[in-house]
PDB file of all heavy atoms in Angstrom:
ATOM      1  N   ALA A 161     -22.516  20.203  14.130  1.00 76.00           N
ATOM      2  CA  ALA A 161     -22.214  20.463  15.532  1.00 76.00           C
ATOM      3  C   ALA A 161     -23.170  21.556  16.005  1.00 76.00           C
ATOM      4  O   ALA A 161     -22.875  22.297  16.919  1.00 76.00           O
ATOM      5  CB  ALA A 161     -20.768  20.901  15.705  1.00 76.00           C
ATOM      6  N   ASP A 162     -24.339  21.613  15.332  1.00 79.00           N
ATOM      7  CA  ASP A 162     -25.267  22.712  15.603  1.00 79.00           C
ATOM      8  C   ASP A 162     -25.940  22.629  16.957  1.00 79.00           C
ATOM      9  O   ASP A 162     -26.491  23.605  17.439  1.00 79.00           O
ATOM     10  CB  ASP A 162     -26.359  22.761  14.508  1.00 79.00           C
ATOM     11  CG  ASP A 162     -25.917  23.603  13.323  1.00 79.00           C
ATOM     12  OD1 ASP A 162     -24.882  24.286  13.433  1.00 79.00           O
ATOM     13  OD2 ASP A 162     -26.601  23.582  12.283  1.00 79.00           O
ATOM     14  N   ILE A 163     -25.960  21.423  17.555  1.00 79.00           N
ATOM     15  CA  ILE A 163     -26.573  21.275  18.879  1.00 79.00           C
ATOM     16  C   ILE A 163     -25.463  21.173  19.910  1.00 79.00           C
ATOM     17  O   ILE A 163     -24.746  20.172  19.965  1.00 79.00           O
ATOM     18  CB  ILE A 163     -27.489  20.030  18.937  1.00 79.00           C
ATOM     19  CG1 ILE A 163     -28.627  20.192  17.924  1.00 79.00           C
ATOM     20  CG2 ILE A 163     -28.048  19.840  20.341  1.00 79.00           C
ATOM     21  CD1 ILE A 163     -29.578  19.019  17.886  1.00 79.00           C
ATOM     22  N   GLU A 164     -25.326  22.254  20.674  1.00 74.00           N
ATOM     23  CA  GLU A 164     -24.342  22.304  21.767  1.00 74.00           C
ATOM     24  C   GLU A 164     -22.915  21.994  21.315  1.00 74.00           C
ATOM     25  O   GLU A 164     -22.104  21.524  22.115  1.00 74.00           O
ATOM     26  CB  GLU A 164     -24.716  21.330  22.885  1.00 74.00           C
ATOM     27  CG  GLU A 164     -25.919  21.806  23.682  1.00 74.00           C
ATOM     28  CD  GLU A 164     -26.146  20.957  24.928  1.00 74.00           C
ATOM     29  OE1 GLU A 164     -25.408  19.986  25.129  1.00 74.00           O
ATOM     30  OE2 GLU A 164     -27.053  21.284  25.679  1.00 74.00           O
ATOM     31  N   GLY A 165     -22.620  22.214  20.061  1.00 71.00           N
ATOM     32  CA  GLY A 165     -21.259  21.988  19.584  1.00 71.00           C
ATOM     33  C   GLY A 165     -20.847  20.537  19.578  1.00 71.00           C
ATOM     34  O   GLY A 165     -19.676  20.218  19.377  1.00 71.00           O
TER      35      GLY A 165
ATOM     36  N   THR B  24     -26.760  29.938  30.214  1.00 84.00           N
ATOM     37  CA  THR B  24     -26.691  28.780  29.312  1.00 84.00           C
ATOM     38  C   THR B  24     -25.980  29.142  28.018  1.00 84.00           C
ATOM     39  O   THR B  24     -25.063  28.446  27.578  1.00 84.00           O
ATOM     40  CB  THR B  24     -28.111  28.306  28.938  1.00 84.00           C
ATOM     41  OG1 THR B  24     -28.897  28.228  30.107  1.00 84.00           O
ATOM     42  CG2 THR B  24     -28.076  26.973  28.223  1.00 84.00           C
ATOM     43  N   THR B  28     -22.263  27.818  26.577  1.00 83.00           N
ATOM     44  CA  THR B  28     -22.160  27.102  25.296  1.00 83.00           C
ATOM     45  C   THR B  28     -21.275  27.852  24.310  1.00 83.00           C
ATOM     46  O   THR B  28     -20.389  27.269  23.683  1.00 83.00           O
ATOM     47  CB  THR B  28     -23.566  26.910  24.685  1.00 83.00           C
ATOM     48  OG1 THR B  28     -24.430  26.420  25.693  1.00 83.00           O
ATOM     49  CG2 THR B  28     -23.536  25.958  23.517  1.00 83.00           C
ATOM     50  N   LEU B 140     -29.635  22.405  10.050  1.00 87.00           N
ATOM     51  CA  LEU B 140     -30.217  22.040  11.339  1.00 87.00           C
ATOM     52  C   LEU B 140     -30.312  23.228  12.289  1.00 87.00           C
ATOM     53  O   LEU B 140     -31.347  23.468  12.903  1.00 87.00           O
ATOM     54  CB  LEU B 140     -29.397  20.918  11.985  1.00 87.00           C
ATOM     55  CG  LEU B 140     -29.885  20.445  13.360  1.00 87.00           C
ATOM     56  CD1 LEU B 140     -31.305  19.938  13.295  1.00 87.00           C
ATOM     57  CD2 LEU B 140     -28.961  19.354  13.898  1.00 87.00           C
ATOM     58  N   GLY B 141     -29.228  23.994  12.401  1.00 86.00           N
ATOM     59  CA  GLY B 141     -29.231  25.165  13.277  1.00 86.00           C
ATOM     60  C   GLY B 141     -30.273  26.187  12.840  1.00 86.00           C
ATOM     61  O   GLY B 141     -30.976  26.763  13.659  1.00 86.00           O
ATOM     62  N   PHE B 143     -32.982  25.531  11.055  1.00 89.00           N
ATOM     63  CA  PHE B 143     -34.302  24.932  11.274  1.00 89.00           C
ATOM     64  C   PHE B 143     -34.726  25.169  12.720  1.00 89.00           C
ATOM     65  O   PHE B 143     -35.862  25.551  12.991  1.00 89.00           O
ATOM     66  CB  PHE B 143     -34.241  23.439  10.946  1.00 89.00           C
ATOM     67  CG  PHE B 143     -35.480  22.663  11.292  1.00 89.00           C
ATOM     68  CD1 PHE B 143     -36.709  23.000  10.747  1.00 89.00           C
ATOM     69  CD2 PHE B 143     -35.414  21.579  12.158  1.00 89.00           C
ATOM     70  CE1 PHE B 143     -37.855  22.283  11.057  1.00 89.00           C
ATOM     71  CE2 PHE B 143     -36.560  20.846  12.472  1.00 89.00           C
ATOM     72  CZ  PHE B 143     -37.781  21.202  11.928  1.00 89.00           C
ATOM     73  N   ILE B 144     -33.767  24.980  13.645  1.00 90.00           N
ATOM     74  CA  ILE B 144     -34.061  25.183  15.066  1.00 90.00           C
ATOM     75  C   ILE B 144     -34.483  26.620  15.335  1.00 90.00           C
ATOM     76  O   ILE B 144     -35.495  26.870  15.995  1.00 90.00           O
ATOM     77  CB  ILE B 144     -32.836  24.808  15.935  1.00 90.00           C
ATOM     78  CG1 ILE B 144     -32.611  23.294  15.895  1.00 90.00           C
ATOM     79  CG2 ILE B 144     -33.018  25.280  17.379  1.00 90.00           C
ATOM     80  CD1 ILE B 144     -31.286  22.843  16.494  1.00 90.00           C
ATOM     81  N   ILE B 145     -33.718  27.579  14.809  1.00 87.00           N
ATOM     82  CA  ILE B 145     -34.088  28.962  15.117  1.00 87.00           C
ATOM     83  C   ILE B 145     -35.319  29.400  14.337  1.00 87.00           C
ATOM     84  O   ILE B 145     -36.045  30.299  14.774  1.00 87.00           O
ATOM     85  CB  ILE B 145     -32.929  29.964  14.953  1.00 87.00           C
ATOM     86  CG1 ILE B 145     -32.439  30.005  13.520  1.00 87.00           C
ATOM     87  CG2 ILE B 145     -31.810  29.653  15.912  1.00 87.00           C
ATOM     88  CD1 ILE B 145     -31.387  31.085  13.338  1.00 87.00           C
ATOM     89  N   LEU B 147     -37.921  27.443  13.964  1.00 90.00           N
ATOM     90  CA  LEU B 147     -38.997  27.003  14.853  1.00 90.00           C
ATOM     91  C   LEU B 147     -39.144  27.952  16.035  1.00 90.00           C
ATOM     92  O   LEU B 147     -40.243  28.213  16.512  1.00 90.00           O
ATOM     93  CB  LEU B 147     -38.716  25.582  15.377  1.00 90.00           C
ATOM     94  CG  LEU B 147     -38.829  24.430  14.381  1.00 90.00           C
ATOM     95  CD1 LEU B 147     -38.504  23.107  15.069  1.00 90.00           C
ATOM     96  CD2 LEU B 147     -40.220  24.383  13.752  1.00 90.00           C
ATOM     97  N   ALA B 148     -37.992  28.457  16.526  1.00 90.00           N
ATOM     98  CA  ALA B 148     -38.025  29.328  17.707  1.00 90.00           C
ATOM     99  C   ALA B 148     -38.402  30.765  17.352  1.00 90.00           C
ATOM    100  O   ALA B 148     -38.625  31.570  18.247  1.00 90.00           O
ATOM    101  CB  ALA B 148     -36.654  29.309  18.389  1.00 90.00           C
ATOM    102  N   PRO B 158     -25.780  28.605  13.964  1.00 75.00           N
ATOM    103  CA  PRO B 158     -26.815  29.594  14.282  1.00 75.00           C
ATOM    104  C   PRO B 158     -27.542  29.358  15.597  1.00 75.00           C
ATOM    105  O   PRO B 158     -28.073  30.291  16.188  1.00 75.00           O
ATOM    106  CB  PRO B 158     -27.814  29.466  13.113  1.00 75.00           C
ATOM    107  CG  PRO B 158     -27.207  28.540  12.138  1.00 75.00           C
ATOM    108  CD  PRO B 158     -26.051  27.855  12.738  1.00 75.00           C
ATOM    109  N   ALA B 159     -27.598  28.066  16.046  1.00 78.00           N
ATOM    110  CA  ALA B 159     -28.317  27.767  17.281  1.00 78.00           C
ATOM    111  C   ALA B 159     -27.349  27.492  18.419  1.00 78.00           C
ATOM    112  O   ALA B 159     -27.687  26.800  19.375  1.00 78.00           O
ATOM    113  CB  ALA B 159     -29.236  26.558  17.061  1.00 78.00           C
ATOM    114  N   ALA B 160     -26.144  28.061  18.339  1.00 72.00           N
ATOM    115  CA  ALA B 160     -25.117  27.791  19.347  1.00 72.00           C
ATOM    116  C   ALA B 160     -25.554  28.231  20.737  1.00 72.00           C
ATOM    117  O   ALA B 160     -24.997  27.799  21.732  1.00 72.00           O
ATOM    118  CB  ALA B 160     -23.814  28.496  18.974  1.00 72.00           C
ATOM    119  N   HIS B 161     -26.580  29.105  20.800  1.00 74.00           N
ATOM    120  CA  HIS B 161     -27.000  29.628  22.095  1.00 74.00           C
ATOM    121  C   HIS B 161     -28.050  28.742  22.759  1.00 74.00           C
ATOM    122  O   HIS B 161     -28.484  29.039  23.869  1.00 74.00           O
ATOM    123  CB  HIS B 161     -27.560  31.043  21.916  1.00 74.00           C
ATOM    124  CG  HIS B 161     -28.740  31.079  20.984  1.00 74.00           C
ATOM    125  ND1 HIS B 161     -28.636  30.811  19.635  1.00 74.00           N
ATOM    126  CD2 HIS B 161     -30.051  31.314  21.225  1.00 74.00           C
ATOM    127  CE1 HIS B 161     -29.840  30.906  19.081  1.00 74.00           C
ATOM    128  NE2 HIS B 161     -30.711  31.207  20.011  1.00 74.00           N
ATOM    129  N   LYS B 162     -28.486  27.691  22.071  1.00 80.00           N
ATOM    130  CA  LYS B 162     -29.559  26.863  22.640  1.00 80.00           C
ATOM    131  C   LYS B 162     -28.998  25.549  23.170  1.00 80.00           C
ATOM    132  O   LYS B 162     -28.116  24.952  22.557  1.00 80.00           O
ATOM    133  CB  LYS B 162     -30.592  26.555  21.560  1.00 80.00           C
ATOM    134  CG  LYS B 162     -31.395  27.781  21.160  1.00 80.00           C
ATOM    135  CD  LYS B 162     -32.802  27.371  20.792  1.00 80.00           C
ATOM    136  CE  LYS B 162     -33.808  28.497  20.769  1.00 80.00           C
ATOM    137  NZ  LYS B 162     -33.836  29.352  21.939  1.00 80.00           N
ATOM    138  N   ASN B 163     -29.565  25.056  24.275  1.00 82.00           N
ATOM    139  CA  ASN B 163     -29.116  23.754  24.759  1.00 82.00           C
ATOM    140  C   ASN B 163     -30.141  22.682  24.367  1.00 82.00           C
ATOM    141  O   ASN B 163     -31.211  22.976  23.845  1.00 82.00           O
ATOM    142  CB  ASN B 163     -28.836  23.772  26.265  1.00 82.00           C
ATOM    143  CG  ASN B 163     -30.108  23.928  27.081  1.00 82.00           C
ATOM    144  OD1 ASN B 163     -31.220  23.752  26.590  1.00 82.00           O
ATOM    145  ND2 ASN B 163     -29.948  24.258  28.342  1.00 82.00           N
ATOM    146  N   ARG B 164     -29.801  21.433  24.683  1.00 88.00           N
ATOM    147  CA  ARG B 164     -30.598  20.289  24.232  1.00 88.00           C
ATOM    148  C   ARG B 164     -32.038  20.340  24.722  1.00 88.00           C
ATOM    149  O   ARG B 164     -32.973  20.035  23.982  1.00 88.00           O
ATOM    150  CB  ARG B 164     -29.962  18.998  24.735  1.00 88.00           C
ATOM    151  CG  ARG B 164     -28.956  18.438  23.810  1.00 88.00           C
ATOM    152  CD  ARG B 164     -28.402  17.195  24.370  1.00 88.00           C
ATOM    153  NE  ARG B 164     -27.200  17.485  25.114  1.00 88.00           N
ATOM    154  CZ  ARG B 164     -26.485  16.571  25.734  1.00 88.00           C
ATOM    155  NH1 ARG B 164     -26.885  15.315  25.735  1.00 88.00           N
ATOM    156  NH2 ARG B 164     -25.386  16.897  26.368  1.00 88.00           N
ATOM    157  N   ALA B 165     -32.185  20.705  25.996  1.00 90.00           N
ATOM    158  CA  ALA B 165     -33.534  20.714  26.567  1.00 90.00           C
ATOM    159  C   ALA B 165     -34.411  21.705  25.815  1.00 90.00           C
ATOM    160  O   ALA B 165     -35.567  21.417  25.495  1.00 90.00           O
ATOM    161  CB  ALA B 165     -33.460  21.066  28.046  1.00 90.00           C
ATOM    162  N   GLN B 166     -33.834  22.860  25.507  1.00 90.00           N
ATOM    163  CA  GLN B 166     -34.595  23.879  24.787  1.00 90.00           C
ATOM    164  C   GLN B 166     -34.968  23.378  23.396  1.00 90.00           C
ATOM    165  O   GLN B 166     -36.084  23.587  22.915  1.00 90.00           O
ATOM    166  CB  GLN B 166     -33.783  25.169  24.665  1.00 90.00           C
ATOM    167  CG  GLN B 166     -33.524  25.849  25.992  1.00 90.00           C
ATOM    168  CD  GLN B 166     -32.446  26.927  25.867  1.00 90.00           C
ATOM    169  OE1 GLN B 166     -31.516  26.811  25.082  1.00 90.00           O
ATOM    170  NE2 GLN B 166     -32.575  27.976  26.660  1.00 90.00           N
ATOM    171  N   ILE B 167     -34.014  22.714  22.735  1.00 91.00           N
ATOM    172  CA  ILE B 167     -34.255  22.214  21.381  1.00 91.00           C
ATOM    173  C   ILE B 167     -35.310  21.118  21.403  1.00 91.00           C
ATOM    174  O   ILE B 167     -36.195  21.055  20.541  1.00 91.00           O
ATOM    175  CB  ILE B 167     -32.936  21.726  20.751  1.00 91.00           C
ATOM    176  CG1 ILE B 167     -32.001  22.922  20.560  1.00 91.00           C
ATOM    177  CG2 ILE B 167     -33.176  21.021  19.427  1.00 91.00           C
ATOM    178  CD1 ILE B 167     -30.604  22.553  20.141  1.00 91.00           C
ATOM    179  N   ARG B 168     -35.253  20.254  22.415  1.00 93.00           N
ATOM    180  CA  ARG B 168     -36.241  19.191  22.507  1.00 93.00           C
ATOM    181  C   ARG B 168     -37.648  19.765  22.634  1.00 93.00           C
ATOM    182  O   ARG B 168     -38.582  19.289  21.998  1.00 93.00           O
ATOM    183  CB  ARG B 168     -35.939  18.301  23.707  1.00 93.00           C
ATOM    184  CG  ARG B 168     -36.704  17.023  23.630  1.00 93.00           C
ATOM    185  CD  ARG B 168     -37.217  16.527  24.956  1.00 93.00           C
ATOM    186  NE  ARG B 168     -37.869  15.237  24.731  1.00 93.00           N
ATOM    187  CZ  ARG B 168     -37.755  14.204  25.516  1.00 93.00           C
ATOM    188  NH1 ARG B 168     -36.998  14.288  26.602  1.00 93.00           N
ATOM    189  NH2 ARG B 168     -38.386  13.072  25.241  1.00 93.00           N
ATOM    190  N   ARG B 169     -37.771  20.810  23.445  1.00 93.00           N
ATOM    191  CA  ARG B 169     -39.091  21.433  23.617  1.00 93.00           C
ATOM    192  C   ARG B 169     -39.598  21.953  22.275  1.00 93.00           C
ATOM    193  O   ARG B 169     -40.764  21.761  21.926  1.00 93.00           O
ATOM    194  CB  ARG B 169     -39.017  22.588  24.630  1.00 93.00           C
ATOM    195  CG  ARG B 169     -39.336  22.164  26.043  1.00 93.00           C
ATOM    196  CD  ARG B 169     -39.643  23.370  26.920  1.00 93.00           C
ATOM    197  NE  ARG B 169     -38.510  24.273  27.045  1.00 93.00           N
ATOM    198  CZ  ARG B 169     -37.485  24.079  27.864  1.00 93.00           C
ATOM    199  NH1 ARG B 169     -37.445  23.022  28.653  1.00 93.00           N
ATOM    200  NH2 ARG B 169     -36.479  24.951  27.904  1.00 93.00           N
ATOM    201  N   LEU B 170     -38.722  22.596  21.514  1.00 93.00           N
ATOM    202  CA  LEU B 170     -39.113  23.116  20.195  1.00 93.00           C
ATOM    203  C   LEU B 170     -39.578  21.987  19.281  1.00 93.00           C
ATOM    204  O   LEU B 170     -40.587  22.108  18.584  1.00 93.00           O
ATOM    205  CB  LEU B 170     -37.937  23.823  19.526  1.00 93.00           C
ATOM    206  CG  LEU B 170     -37.596  25.232  20.028  1.00 93.00           C
ATOM    207  CD1 LEU B 170     -36.275  25.668  19.424  1.00 93.00           C
ATOM    208  CD2 LEU B 170     -38.698  26.200  19.672  1.00 93.00           C
ATOM    209  N   PHE B 171     -38.836  20.877  19.289  1.00 94.00           N
ATOM    210  CA  PHE B 171     -39.173  19.750  18.421  1.00 94.00           C
ATOM    211  C   PHE B 171     -40.471  19.089  18.864  1.00 94.00           C
ATOM    212  O   PHE B 171     -41.279  18.652  18.035  1.00 94.00           O
ATOM    213  CB  PHE B 171     -38.032  18.722  18.395  1.00 94.00           C
ATOM    214  CG  PHE B 171     -36.830  19.148  17.576  1.00 94.00           C
ATOM    215  CD1 PHE B 171     -36.799  20.362  16.911  1.00 94.00           C
ATOM    216  CD2 PHE B 171     -35.739  18.305  17.459  1.00 94.00           C
ATOM    217  CE1 PHE B 171     -35.697  20.740  16.154  1.00 94.00           C
ATOM    218  CE2 PHE B 171     -34.627  18.675  16.704  1.00 94.00           C
ATOM    219  CZ  PHE B 171     -34.607  19.892  16.050  1.00 94.00           C
ATOM    220  N   ASP B 172     -40.690  19.005  20.178  1.00 94.00           N
ATOM    221  CA  ASP B 172     -41.946  18.425  20.674  1.00 94.00           C
ATOM    222  C   ASP B 172     -43.135  19.235  20.166  1.00 94.00           C
ATOM    223  O   ASP B 172     -44.123  18.674  19.691  1.00 94.00           O
ATOM    224  CB  ASP B 172     -41.961  18.407  22.210  1.00 94.00           C
ATOM    225  CG  ASP B 172     -41.141  17.259  22.785  1.00 94.00           C
ATOM    226  OD1 ASP B 172     -40.792  16.331  22.016  1.00 94.00           O
ATOM    227  OD2 ASP B 172     -40.850  17.278  23.995  1.00 94.00           O
ATOM    228  N   GLU B 173     -43.021  20.563  20.280  1.00 93.00           N
ATOM    229  CA  GLU B 173     -44.128  21.424  19.807  1.00 93.00           C
ATOM    230  C   GLU B 173     -44.336  21.242  18.320  1.00 93.00           C
ATOM    231  O   GLU B 173     -45.462  21.167  17.837  1.00 93.00           O
ATOM    232  CB  GLU B 173     -43.800  22.896  20.076  1.00 93.00           C
ATOM    233  CG  GLU B 173     -44.052  23.330  21.499  1.00 93.00           C
ATOM    234  CD  GLU B 173     -43.275  24.610  21.840  1.00 93.00           C
ATOM    235  OE1 GLU B 173     -42.973  25.403  20.913  1.00 93.00           O
ATOM    236  OE2 GLU B 173     -42.975  24.795  23.040  1.00 93.00           O
ATOM    237  N   ASP B 174     -43.228  21.173  17.591  1.00 93.00           N
ATOM    238  CA  ASP B 174     -43.300  20.999  16.140  1.00 93.00           C
ATOM    239  C   ASP B 174     -43.984  19.687  15.787  1.00 93.00           C
ATOM    240  O   ASP B 174     -44.825  19.627  14.890  1.00 93.00           O
ATOM    241  CB  ASP B 174     -41.878  21.049  15.555  1.00 93.00           C
ATOM    242  CG  ASP B 174     -41.858  20.839  14.059  1.00 93.00           C
ATOM    243  OD1 ASP B 174     -42.459  21.654  13.328  1.00 93.00           O
ATOM    244  OD2 ASP B 174     -41.240  19.849  13.618  1.00 93.00           O
ATOM    245  N   ALA B 175     -43.614  18.623  16.524  1.00 92.00           N
ATOM    246  CA  ALA B 175     -44.188  17.300  16.259  1.00 92.00           C
ATOM    247  C   ALA B 175     -45.691  17.318  16.500  1.00 92.00           C
ATOM    248  O   ALA B 175     -46.469  16.731  15.736  1.00 92.00           O
ATOM    249  CB  ALA B 175     -43.525  16.251  17.147  1.00 92.00           C
ATOM    250  N   PRO B 182     -42.634  12.688  18.193  1.00 90.00           N
ATOM    251  CA  PRO B 182     -41.598  13.609  18.648  1.00 90.00           C
ATOM    252  C   PRO B 182     -40.263  12.884  18.832  1.00 90.00           C
ATOM    253  O   PRO B 182     -40.219  11.664  18.728  1.00 90.00           O
ATOM    254  CB  PRO B 182     -42.142  14.088  20.003  1.00 90.00           C
ATOM    255  CG  PRO B 182     -42.973  12.958  20.487  1.00 90.00           C
ATOM    256  CD  PRO B 182     -43.542  12.284  19.285  1.00 90.00           C
ATOM    257  N   PRO B 183     -39.194  13.619  19.126  1.00 91.00           N
ATOM    258  CA  PRO B 183     -37.901  12.967  19.378  1.00 91.00           C
ATOM    259  C   PRO B 183     -37.994  11.987  20.538  1.00 91.00           C
ATOM    260  O   PRO B 183     -38.709  12.225  21.508  1.00 91.00           O
ATOM    261  CB  PRO B 183     -36.959  14.121  19.759  1.00 91.00           C
ATOM    262  CG  PRO B 183     -37.697  15.365  19.537  1.00 91.00           C
ATOM    263  CD  PRO B 183     -39.105  15.074  19.230  1.00 91.00           C
ATOM    264  N   SER B 185     -35.677  11.105  22.672  1.00 91.00           N
ATOM    265  CA  SER B 185     -35.073  11.581  23.923  1.00 91.00           C
ATOM    266  C   SER B 185     -34.410  12.914  23.634  1.00 91.00           C
ATOM    267  O   SER B 185     -34.498  13.416  22.522  1.00 91.00           O
ATOM    268  CB  SER B 185     -34.014  10.600  24.414  1.00 91.00           C
ATOM    269  OG  SER B 185     -32.799  10.818  23.719  1.00 91.00           O
ATOM    270  N   GLU B 186     -33.730  13.456  24.638  1.00 88.00           N
ATOM    271  CA  GLU B 186     -33.072  14.739  24.420  1.00 88.00           C
ATOM    272  C   GLU B 186     -31.602  14.553  24.032  1.00 88.00           C
ATOM    273  O   GLU B 186     -30.856  15.511  23.913  1.00 88.00           O
ATOM    274  CB  GLU B 186     -33.310  15.562  25.690  1.00 88.00           C
ATOM    275  CG  GLU B 186     -32.216  16.256  26.307  1.00 88.00           C
ATOM    276  CD  GLU B 186     -32.648  16.971  27.572  1.00 88.00           C
ATOM    277  OE1 GLU B 186     -33.823  17.371  27.651  1.00 88.00           O
ATOM    278  OE2 GLU B 186     -31.810  17.103  28.464  1.00 88.00           O
ATOM    279  N   ASP B 187     -31.200  13.288  23.784  1.00 88.00           N
ATOM    280  CA  ASP B 187     -29.851  13.033  23.267  1.00 88.00           C
ATOM    281  C   ASP B 187     -29.675  13.726  21.930  1.00 88.00           C
ATOM    282  O   ASP B 187     -30.579  13.709  21.094  1.00 88.00           O
ATOM    283  CB  ASP B 187     -29.659  11.535  23.005  1.00 88.00           C
ATOM    284  CG  ASP B 187     -29.248  10.822  24.260  1.00 88.00           C
ATOM    285  OD1 ASP B 187     -28.968  11.496  25.264  1.00 88.00           O
ATOM    286  OD2 ASP B 187     -29.220   9.587  24.225  1.00 88.00           O
ATOM    287  N   THR B 188     -28.487  14.279  21.720  1.00 85.00           N
ATOM    288  CA  THR B 188     -28.221  14.972  20.463  1.00 85.00           C
ATOM    289  C   THR B 188     -28.513  14.077  19.266  1.00 85.00           C
ATOM    290  O   THR B 188     -29.077  14.526  18.262  1.00 85.00           O
ATOM    291  CB  THR B 188     -26.759  15.434  20.418  1.00 85.00           C
ATOM    292  OG1 THR B 188     -26.406  15.947  21.687  1.00 85.00           O
ATOM    293  CG2 THR B 188     -26.564  16.512  19.391  1.00 85.00           C
ATOM    294  N   ASP B 190     -30.722  11.660  18.978  1.00 89.00           N
ATOM    295  CA  ASP B 190     -32.169  11.522  18.763  1.00 89.00           C
ATOM    296  C   ASP B 190     -32.781  12.811  18.237  1.00 89.00           C
ATOM    297  O   ASP B 190     -33.698  12.791  17.425  1.00 89.00           O
ATOM    298  CB  ASP B 190     -32.856  11.098  20.066  1.00 89.00           C
ATOM    299  CG  ASP B 190     -32.531   9.652  20.416  1.00 89.00           C
ATOM    300  OD1 ASP B 190     -32.381   8.846  19.474  1.00 89.00           O
ATOM    301  OD2 ASP B 190     -32.418   9.338  21.611  1.00 89.00           O
ATOM    302  N   LEU B 191     -32.287  13.935  18.719  1.00 89.00           N
ATOM    303  CA  LEU B 191     -32.786  15.214  18.208  1.00 89.00           C
ATOM    304  C   LEU B 191     -32.463  15.348  16.724  1.00 89.00           C
ATOM    305  O   LEU B 191     -33.297  15.775  15.916  1.00 89.00           O
ATOM    306  CB  LEU B 191     -32.164  16.382  18.983  1.00 89.00           C
ATOM    307  CG  LEU B 191     -32.558  16.504  20.459  1.00 89.00           C
ATOM    308  CD1 LEU B 191     -31.779  17.629  21.120  1.00 89.00           C
ATOM    309  CD2 LEU B 191     -34.049  16.725  20.610  1.00 89.00           C
ATOM    310  N   THR B 192     -31.239  14.953  16.368  1.00 87.00           N
ATOM    311  CA  THR B 192     -30.827  15.029  14.963  1.00 87.00           C
ATOM    312  C   THR B 192     -31.654  14.085  14.109  1.00 87.00           C
ATOM    313  O   THR B 192     -32.067  14.424  12.997  1.00 87.00           O
ATOM    314  CB  THR B 192     -29.333  14.711  14.833  1.00 87.00           C
ATOM    315  OG1 THR B 192     -28.604  15.510  15.752  1.00 87.00           O
ATOM    316  CG2 THR B 192     -28.837  14.980  13.433  1.00 87.00           C
ATOM    317  N   TYR B 194     -34.676  13.155  14.603  1.00 90.00           N
ATOM    318  CA  TYR B 194     -35.992  13.770  14.413  1.00 90.00           C
ATOM    319  C   TYR B 194     -35.939  14.761  13.255  1.00 90.00           C
ATOM    320  O   TYR B 194     -36.805  14.755  12.370  1.00 90.00           O
ATOM    321  CB  TYR B 194     -36.454  14.481  15.690  1.00 90.00           C
ATOM    322  CG  TYR B 194     -37.731  15.268  15.479  1.00 90.00           C
ATOM    323  CD1 TYR B 194     -38.960  14.619  15.490  1.00 90.00           C
ATOM    324  CD2 TYR B 194     -37.706  16.637  15.218  1.00 90.00           C
ATOM    325  CE1 TYR B 194     -40.135  15.312  15.255  1.00 90.00           C
ATOM    326  CE2 TYR B 194     -38.866  17.338  14.977  1.00 90.00           C
ATOM    327  CZ  TYR B 194     -40.087  16.679  14.998  1.00 90.00           C
ATOM    328  OH  TYR B 194     -41.246  17.367  14.745  1.00 90.00           O
ATOM    329  N   ALA B 195     -34.917  15.615  13.248  1.00 88.00           N
ATOM    330  CA  ALA B 195     -34.806  16.638  12.205  1.00 88.00           C
ATOM    331  C   ALA B 195     -34.655  15.994  10.828  1.00 88.00           C
ATOM    332  O   ALA B 195     -35.265  16.430   9.845  1.00 88.00           O
ATOM    333  CB  ALA B 195     -33.631  17.567  12.495  1.00 88.00           C
TER     334      ALA B 195
END
Side-chain angles (χ1 to χ4, degrees):
Chain A
D162 272 350
I163 298 179
E164 288 189 357
Chain B
T24 313
T28 313
L140 179 59
F143 173 58
I144 291 169
I145 62 175
L147 289 179
H161 59 293
K162 290 213 163 310
N163 69 15
R164 271 180 267 180
Q166 294 166 327
I167 294 171
R168 195 218 183 139
R169 267 196 297 280
L170 283 170
F171 285 359
D172 281 346
E173 280 160 26
D174 178 61
S185 81
E186 133 182 331
D187 275 352
T188 318
D190 289 326
L191 293 175
T192 309
Y194 173 80

